[in-house]
Amino acid sequence: MSAELWNSAVRILDQNWSGDHMVPSRHLYPHQWSWDTAFIAVGLAYVNPSRAWRDLRTLFEAQWPDGRVPHIVFDPATAEGAYFPGPAFWDVPAYAGRPARGSTALVQPPLHAVAAWEVYRRATAHGASCARESAERLAWLYPRLVRQQEYLLGRRDAGGDGLAAIVHPWESGLDNSPAWDRAMAAVPADMELMRRFHRRDLDVADAAHRPTDEDYARYVGLVLSYREHRYDDAGLCRWHDFVVECPAFNAILGAAEVALARIAAELGEDPQPHRDRARQITDAIVRLLWDPETATFRARDVRTGTLTPARTVAGLLPLILPGLPARYAEAIMAEVRSERFGLPARTGLPVPSYDRTAPDFDTLRYWRGPIWVNINWLLRRGMLQHGFRGEAEDLRRSILRLVRRSGHYEYFHPKNGEGIGAAAFSWTAALSLDLLPG
Ligand code: GLC
């Protein structure tokens, strides 16, 4: 059984390899996505560490001079019309030294330091030549990973409070989550935009699973606002309609500093600044995003200073921070065990993306209910970090059971476990490799 799952995952990672990068899915997502690359590298490390390093390198070759790592790096061999919004729409400024391939101007959660450390650990166990290659790759990546953090903690600290703000729901990676509904309601939806542009996602996916046209009009409007300012972050709160601090994004930002401390120590650099920053980010998440009334972490609208009312899976991810004080870790676990998120012991399924008891819980629309493997992989990591070993093991088994039964889908129905979205999805395959017993 395990061998079958392993082989099918390896096959998908072979099919989705495009020469120097991995696509998340051949049809729906035909370019390179930033945080996908991190999840994928974790799994590739078991079967092809050279590709894991190559994938990370291709992504970081598209890093901007200001340190931002784009959320999509466009494959020049893929036609403009294959994905909307494509390279021409973004029209990013040409900087000296940038590779010929275009990119978006947004970011995604900076999980790459965590991934680089995982690849390095695995690859060094593969023998001397692999270890040598990995040490070189890690040394190449380290300063770039540091600049990525500096961008997010510098220019993106729109609230001036030590957290990174996202300027578009797509930056969260949890694109269509109810966590953004309150802030998005204040963003104008210009439906005329949707008559001017063609949504390519609806040609290849079911409309009932995807964001609505009204959502899309707001998404496109936000990109146009950012583009008008030439993607310069100065004074964001004055001119941009969406400036939000996400607990999951910032938890990953903090976890990146923890990983960078390990990488720095391995490379003979000073790990202390990274440890300090990990602590500062953890403190800021607790200070700014914790809602004592409901004992949960929530996203904060920087422009209004209010927390989102929605209880989403993003609020559970601060568990990945090793320095999170025990009482917050306990509160997250209470939420995970509750009927809202229901651990496998209750449902037999991994944790859904949204509160099961919410009136607008949606079993099909992405990020508004369905189960995602990457989020559960992170959650399990957090459980292990904080000593919830039994529940981490239950979660690991439930993820594998789901993928074995339904296939390597993009996401899964939160009631019956059916696969939804793109089939042969790269991060589902890659993370299955990591979760299978060694
Ligand atoms: C969707 C997801 C995002 C992911 C991308 C490519 O947009 O919401 O998290 O990175 O697909 O897989």
Side-chain angles (χ1 to χ4, degrees), residues 24 29 33 35-36 108 173-175 366-367 372 410 425 427:
Y29 306 112
W33 263 257
W35 81 326
D36 296 59
Q108 269 188 328
L174 286 59
D175 302 21
Y366 89 160
W367 296 114
W372 292 75
E410 184 182 6
F425 194 66
W427 81 37

Side-chain angles (χ1 to χ4, degrees), residues 109-385:
L111 192 69
H112 314 88
V114 170
W117 181 245
E118 291 294 326
V119 178
Y120 180 77
R121 277 193 330 128
R122 300 259 158 259
T124 42
H126 273 210
S129 82
C130 219
R132 218 172 14 256
E133 180 196 7
S134 290
E136 276 165 27
R137 301 288 178 253
L138 195 66
W140 185 87
L141 270 175
Y142 175 68
R144 291 164 173 85
L145 292 165
V146 170
R147 287 205 293 125
Q148 178 184 31
Q149 294 291 107
E150 284 168 355
Y151 168 73
L152 295 171
L153 285 163
R155 290 176 193 233
R156 282 304 188 86
D157 184 1
D161 50 24
L163 293 180
I166 54 172
V167 301
H168 198 295
W170 291 342
E171 295 202 306
S172 67
L174 286 59
D175 302 21
N176 197 25
S177 169
W180 322 127
D181 287 359
R182 166 77 69 83
M184 285 299 268
V187 175
D190 176 1
M191 297 310 285
E192 180 51 34
L193 287 176
M194 298 323 292
R195 280 183 281 280
R196 266 183 26 224
F197 300 112
H198 176 67
R199 278 183 69 176
R200 169 69 189 146
D201 60 324
L202 297 185
D203 299 346
V204 285
D206 187 334
H209 304 176
R210 303 287 304 173
T212 63
D213 267 0
E214 204 175 326
D215 293 331
Y216 243 83
R218 292 194 166 98
Y219 293 155
V220 171
L222 284 175
V223 174
L224 293 176
S225 151
Y226 202 27
R227 190 176 85 178
E228 239 165 63
H229 284 80
R230 303 314 291 143
Y231 306 121
D232 182 346
D233 299 305
L236 268 171
C237 289
R238 278 199 310 278
W239 52 265
H240 197 59
D241 287 331
F242 185 92
V243 185
V244 173
E245 291 164 348
C246 167
F249 190 105
N250 281 285
I252 291 171
L253 187 73
E257 292 293 347
V258 175
L260 283 171
R262 299 201 172 110
I263 294 172
E266 185 73 13
L267 296 174
E269 306 276 348
D270 182 6
Q272 199 50 44
H274 298 300
R275 292 190 191 124
D276 294 343
R277 276 198 289 274
R279 204 184 42 250
Q280 286 153 9
I281 295 166
T282 306
D283 290 350
I285 290 175
V286 167
R287 195 172 64 247
L288 293 155
L289 307 185
W290 176 250
D291 174 17
E293 252 168 61
T294 55
T296 53
F297 288 100
R298 292 166 185 266
R300 195 174 85 96
D301 185 331
V302 181
R303 295 165 79 243
T304 62
T306 53
L307 295 178
T308 173
R311 291 165 102 112
T312 73
V313 81
L316 309 178
L317 292 192
L319 196 65
I320 64 171
L321 292 163
L324 187 73
R327 81 179 175 97
Y328 299 103
E330 287 290 353
I332 288 175
M333 288 307 291
E335 185 75 354
V336 166
R337 293 178 196 120
S338 75
E339 58 177 349
R340 286 183 288 278
F341 289 93
L343 262 186
R346 237 174 220 273
T347 62
L349 291 167
V351 169
S353 46
Y354 186 33
D355 174 359
R356 288 180 185 277
T357 66
D360 55 345
F361 178 76
D362 188 327
T363 52
L364 295 179
R365 218 173 277 281
Y366 89 160
W367 296 114
R368 306 185 76 86
I371 295 167
W372 292 75
V373 166
N374 64 331
I375 296 297
N376 279 280
W377 180 86
L378 286 168
L379 207 53
R380 169 178 174 265
R381 213 180 143 86
M383 289 176 184
L384 288 174
Q385 207 107 250

Side-chain angles (χ1 to χ4, degrees), residues 5-14 16-17 22-24 35-48 52 55 115 118-119 122 373-374 377 380 399-400 403 407-409 424-436:
L5 190 62
W6 179 275
N7 292 339
S8 60
V10 172
R11 222 171 17 250
I12 288 169
L13 294 178
D14 268 340
N16 289 352
W17 182 249
M22 189 77 77
V23 294
W35 81 326
D36 296 59
T37 300
F39 290 118
I40 291 162
V42 168
L44 267 182
Y46 291 86
V47 289
N48 197 332
D55 207 15
E118 291 294 326
V119 178
R122 300 259 158 259
V373 166
N374 64 331
W377 180 86
R380 169 178 174 265
I399 300 170
L400 288 176
V403 179
H408 296 277
Y409 271 85
F425 194 66
S426 296
W427 81 37
T428 305
L431 296 175
S432 302
L433 293 180
D434 187 55
L435 292 173
L436 278 165

Side-chain angles (χ1 to χ4, degrees), residues 56-70 73 95-99 101 103 140-151:
L56 284 164
R57 184 182 178 108
T58 301
L59 180 71
F60 276 81
E61 279 172 351
Q63 184 170 34
W64 288 30
D66 65 10
R68 89 182 76 188
V69 174
V73 179
Y95 296 114
R98 263 174 66 79
R101 53 184 61 182
S103 77
W140 185 87
L141 270 175
Y142 175 68
R144 291 164 173 85
L145 292 165
V146 170
R147 287 205 293 125
Q148 178 184 31
Q149 294 291 107
E150 284 168 355
Y151 168 73

